[in-house]
Amino acid sequence: KHSVLYDITSHHLGFQYDLCVECLVDWNVGAHEMLFSVGRKCEQMLILTSVKIGYCRDKEVLSDIISVSTAKSAGKVPSVATLRTRSSHEGNFDVKLSSPGDWLCEACLWCPWNYLGRAISETRAAFLCLNYHKLLTAANRNKEACRELVVYARHFTASMQHIPEEQLMDLPFGLQGV
């Protein structure tokens, strides 16, 4: 469902092969298992394949966001939300996801990212995990695809900077506030 990755892989078959064979990893979890929690470093985008999960933005985090800053680093155009970890949460879910192809935590592919909420599988679940280190390696082997990814990463991080800090989430921009 990720239209940009789909478009790039359909035009660059070598990159598609590398993405499918070397970058994507299966992850199976049990019912009621926590997928991630607030404050921890995120290193992979999660793509739902067979799952029903709940996601919530930890209300306590809103007061703990320190900054959203821009800097350049090797291979990435970062715009990072730095935060202190809070352990308490009310247990309510802001959003429930259940469609194969939906994803979480895309921001970690394009900039340093710490989880801003938590996600819990409501049923047994299967994911494809896309690690940003592996994505960068595959992109570096496929220069045309890499150029397109860089343009998208710049657009993504620029768009993130227009979102108020208290509205940033681990969800795709289109699912925020649903």
Side-chain angles (χ1 to χ4, degrees):
K1 282 188 173 183
H2 193 286
S3 61
V4 173
L5 288 176
Y6 176 80
D7 187 50
I8 292 171
T9 57
S10 62
H11 289 100
H12 305 286
L13 298 181
F15 178 68
Q16 180 184 53
Y17 177 84
D18 288 347
L19 187 72
C20 293
V21 173
E22 297 178 16
C23 298
L24 294 171
V25 176
D26 290 325
W27 182 31
N28 296 298
V29 298
H32 311 293
E33 189 170 332
M34 180 154 319
L35 308 174
F36 57 81
S37 60
V38 178
R40 299 191 62 155
K41 182 179 179 183
C42 176
E43 295 189 350
Q44 56 194 7
M45 180 170 93
L46 301 177
I47 304 164
L48 289 67
T49 58
S50 165
V51 66
K52 186 173 184 180
I53 67 162
Y55 172 84
C56 59
R57 169 74 192 259
D58 193 325
K59 310 306 185 245
E60 298 281 329
V61 169
L62 298 180
S63 62
D64 286 344
I65 292 181
I66 298 168
S67 67
V68 175
S69 60
T70 305
K72 291 187 177 181
S73 66
K76 288 187 143 183
V77 181
S79 173
V80 61
T82 307
L83 52 89
R84 291 184 293 249
T85 304
R86 286 280 196 153
S87 59
S88 64
H89 191 275
E90 299 162 9
N92 304 355
F93 293 115
D94 298 330
V95 177
K96 293 191 180 193
L97 302 171
S98 60
S99 298
D102 285 346
W103 66 91
L104 295 159
C105 310
E106 177 185 5
C108 78
L109 299 179
W110 319 121
C111 63
W113 188 256
N114 289 38
Y115 297 113
L116 298 176
R118 70 178 181 148
I120 297 177
S121 62
E122 294 184 355
T123 61
R124 291 182 65 214
F127 297 91
L128 291 174
C129 302
L130 177 56
N131 181 283
Y132 79 90
H133 294 290
K134 292 180 179 181
L135 178 64
L136 288 174
T137 300
N140 284 328
R141 284 194 302 264
N142 298 273
K143 298 301 179 194
E144 290 298 316
C146 185
R147 283 187 201 101
E148 292 179 39
L149 287 170
V150 167
V151 168
Y152 177 71
R154 288 180 179 154
H155 174 72
F156 184 93
T157 55
S159 296
M160 263 180 60
Q161 292 177 3
H162 296 297
I163 298 173
E165 292 176 11
E166 64 275 1
Q167 292 179 16
L168 286 173
M169 298 176 86
D170 302 299
L171 301 172
F173 292 159
L175 289 178
Q176 293 183 20
V178 171

